[in-house]
Amino acid sequence: MDDSKKIEKLKERAGVTYEEAQNALKACDGDLLDAMVFLEKIGKVSAPESEIVTTSRTEHSSFADVEDKVRDYDRVTGEKDMGQKLKRGFLKFIDIIKNNQLKISREGKELIKLPLWIAVIIFVILWKLTVAAVIISLFFGIRYSFEGRDKLEGANMVADKAMDAVNYVKNKFDKL
């Protein structure tokens, strides 16, 4: 950019005369930013107003939610990232079974607490026997719950509903 354009730009931005802009640029070896700072220091230009920086999304509707953006990206890309989604889901599954336990109790007393990964292996190997054993054990007052780092509230809710269903069936048979 030649000197005359720099002078015009500085004059426009700083709101100073042509002569003041020219002198400021000479004093700062033609650097526009330094010339602007120079004009601020000598009082010809007021410093810019301070900016407010916040991490609160609620105050500024122009901020985008990251999770929404990821969902939008996934929706747009479709099946292109299916491998990544499977990998991400598998790694999340591994993380959950690694950091949680299956608690088996009866009448409020803890009978056994297994790492969830052991319970999954037992289920995979002996799934028919495991399903039958769990259903039968519910009729004998055995309760199943999940504990650990992750709040597995959904899984605990399913276990509670299974126990409620068994209690409902038991009550119906008791009335007969």
Side-chain angles (χ1 to χ4, degrees):
M1 186 182 305
D2 67 357
D3 287 344
S4 63
K5 286 185 181 178
K6 286 182 183 179
I7 293 170
E8 285 299 320
K9 191 163 204 139
L10 185 60
K11 179 183 161 200
E12 195 177 293
R13 294 270 181 151
V16 293
T17 66
Y18 185 89
E19 195 174 291
E20 290 170 328
Q22 186 179 23
N23 290 337
L25 277 168
K26 279 183 187 175
C28 297
D29 296 324
D31 188 289
L32 273 172
L33 184 57
D34 288 344
M36 189 65 146
V37 172
F38 174 80
L39 289 170
E40 285 177 19
K41 284 183 181 178
I42 64 170
K44 295 288 182 182
V45 176
S46 61
E49 294 181 24
S50 63
E51 294 182 27
I52 297 173
V53 179
T54 181
T55 57
S56 174
R57 184 170 85 81
T58 57
E59 293 178 21
H60 302 283
S61 60
S62 63
F63 292 146
D65 186 26
V66 174
E67 289 178 357
D68 290 341
K69 289 294 181 185
V70 169
R71 271 193 294 278
D72 290 345
Y73 175 79
D74 287 347
R75 194 174 19 256
V76 169
T77 58
E79 294 180 4
K80 292 178 188 173
D81 295 323
M82 188 57 76
Q84 287 288 4
K85 287 181 184 179
L86 287 172
K87 179 182 173 185
R88 196 174 25 219
F90 179 73
L91 292 175
K92 184 173 181 174
F93 172 74
I94 295 297
D95 186 56
I96 288 172
I97 66 170
K98 199 170 69 173
N99 294 302
N100 295 286
Q101 300 86 34
L102 172 65
K103 179 180 165 186
I104 302 171
S105 58
R106 184 169 189 236
E107 296 173 359
K109 293 181 184 177
E110 183 179 311
L111 299 175
I112 190 169
K113 190 184 281 189
L114 289 172
L116 195 52
W117 65 270
I118 291 176
V120 169
I121 290 173
I122 291 170
F123 179 78
V124 168
I125 294 172
L126 304 168
W127 70 272
K128 288 180 182 178
L129 182 63
T130 307
V131 169
V134 167
I135 291 171
I136 292 169
S137 67
L138 288 172
F139 285 97
F140 291 100
I142 303 292
R143 288 192 154 281
Y144 298 91
S145 61
F146 300 92
E147 296 178 346
R149 184 192 71 189
D150 301 305
K151 304 290 186 238
L152 300 175
E153 294 166 355
N156 283 327
M157 193 167 51
V158 169
D160 290 342
K161 286 187 180 199
M163 193 65 196
D164 292 342
V166 166
N167 288 335
Y168 177 79
V169 171
K170 284 169 80 174
N171 288 337
K172 288 291 184 184
F173 278 109
D174 288 343
K175 290 180 181 178
L176 292 177

